[in-house]
């Protein structure tokens, strides 16, 4: 059973090119509804980004996506957060060593089994982080700001990755995906 969805920020929102500092963002169509549906189903939601916190946080503020266990999303995983988790992790923690972003999201939402994690990303590195962590369900989202033709094609051929045309399809994937058992890799 999926208890945590780790979503790539580029698959949920786009940067407003005309915004002044700090940068503003716009939600991709269906993103806010998808997050709301996940949260309503009892699934914690963490956003991961390669942007530093001082850039990512104002973008989320412009979306009015507050970050807290009672907020719109449970956690924001920036490089600073992932690095801190990686440095503090026990030497025998395979998730923190292989995918510190996913480990940070798990730590912040108190999910301890990577098989209970869904990773949905619009970039190959985001999906690879889910694979490295042993996430129970992987999705490639083709509507991300950075999903170019070659990256979208690479997502399409990655084994065990469900391809979504939009983040809006994510709640439906969860309702139709088979129960994810430990050690089970979903078929593409």
């Amino acid at each position: 059973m999926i208890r945590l969805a780790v979503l790539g920020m580029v698959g949920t929102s786009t940067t407003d090119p005309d915004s002044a500092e700090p940068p503003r963002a716009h939600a991709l169509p269906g993103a806010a509804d998808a997050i709301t549906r996940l949260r309503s189903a009892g699934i914690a939601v963490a956003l991961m980004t390669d942007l530093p916190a001082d850039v990512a946080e104002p973008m989320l503020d412009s979306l009015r996506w507050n970050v807290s266990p009672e907020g719109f999303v449970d956690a924001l995983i920036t490089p600073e957060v992932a690095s801190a988790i990686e440095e503090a992790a026990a030497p025998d923690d395979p998730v923190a060593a292989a995918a510190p972003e996913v480990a940070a999201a798990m730590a912040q939402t108190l999910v301890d089994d990577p098989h209970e994690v869904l990773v949905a990303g619009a970039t190959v590195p985001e999906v690879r982080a889910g694979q490295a962590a042993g996430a129970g369900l992987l999705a490639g989202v083709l509507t991300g700001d950075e999903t170019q033709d070659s990256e979208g094609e690479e997502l399409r051929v990655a084994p065990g990755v469900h391809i979504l045309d939009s983040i809006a399809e994510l709640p439906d994937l969860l309702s139709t995906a088979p129960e994810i058992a430990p050690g089970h890799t979903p078929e593409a």
Side-chain angles (χ1 to χ4, degrees):
M1 170 168 236
I2 299 298
R3 295 181 43 223
L4 168 62
V6 181
L7 311 178
M9 201 163 137
V10 297
T12 61
S13 61
T14 184
T15 306
D16 181 351
D18 297 324
S19 69
E21 293 296 323
R24 296 182 48 82
H26 296 287
L28 290 173
D33 182 58
I35 292 169
T36 299
R37 288 177 59 195
L38 292 171
R39 298 290 308 266
S40 294
I43 297 170
V45 175
L47 295 176
M48 68 176 155
T49 181
D50 62 357
L51 297 172
D54 65 339
V55 175
E57 289 169 354
M59 291 173 66
L60 291 183
D61 288 346
S62 73
L63 291 167
R64 293 185 169 41
W65 289 5
N66 59 329
V67 179
S68 76
E70 297 79 32
F72 189 71
V73 296
D74 294 273
L76 173 62
I77 309 305
T78 62
E80 300 95 336
V81 173
S83 291
I85 289 291
E86 188 175 28
E87 290 172 13
D92 61 343
D93 183 345
V95 176
E101 314 85 350
V102 177
M106 291 172 61
Q108 289 192 12
T109 58
L110 305 178
V111 172
D112 57 2
D113 183 352
H115 294 102
E116 296 177 337
V117 177
L118 153 73
V119 175
T123 68
V124 172
E126 291 169 343
V127 173
R128 283 191 182 142
Q131 288 171 323
L137 192 57
L138 301 169
V141 181
L142 299 180
T143 54
D145 212 15
E146 297 177 12
T147 307
Q148 301 162 354
D149 291 338
S150 62
E151 188 142 18
E153 189 57 36
E154 198 171 337
L155 287 172
R156 287 181 199 277
V157 299
V161 177
H162 296 270
I163 300 299
L164 306 176
D165 288 326
S166 163
I167 194 70
E169 298 173 7
L170 189 58
D172 293 334
L173 171 65
L174 282 172
S175 68
T176 60
E179 186 70 25
I180 304 300
H184 175 264
T185 302
E187 300 303 319

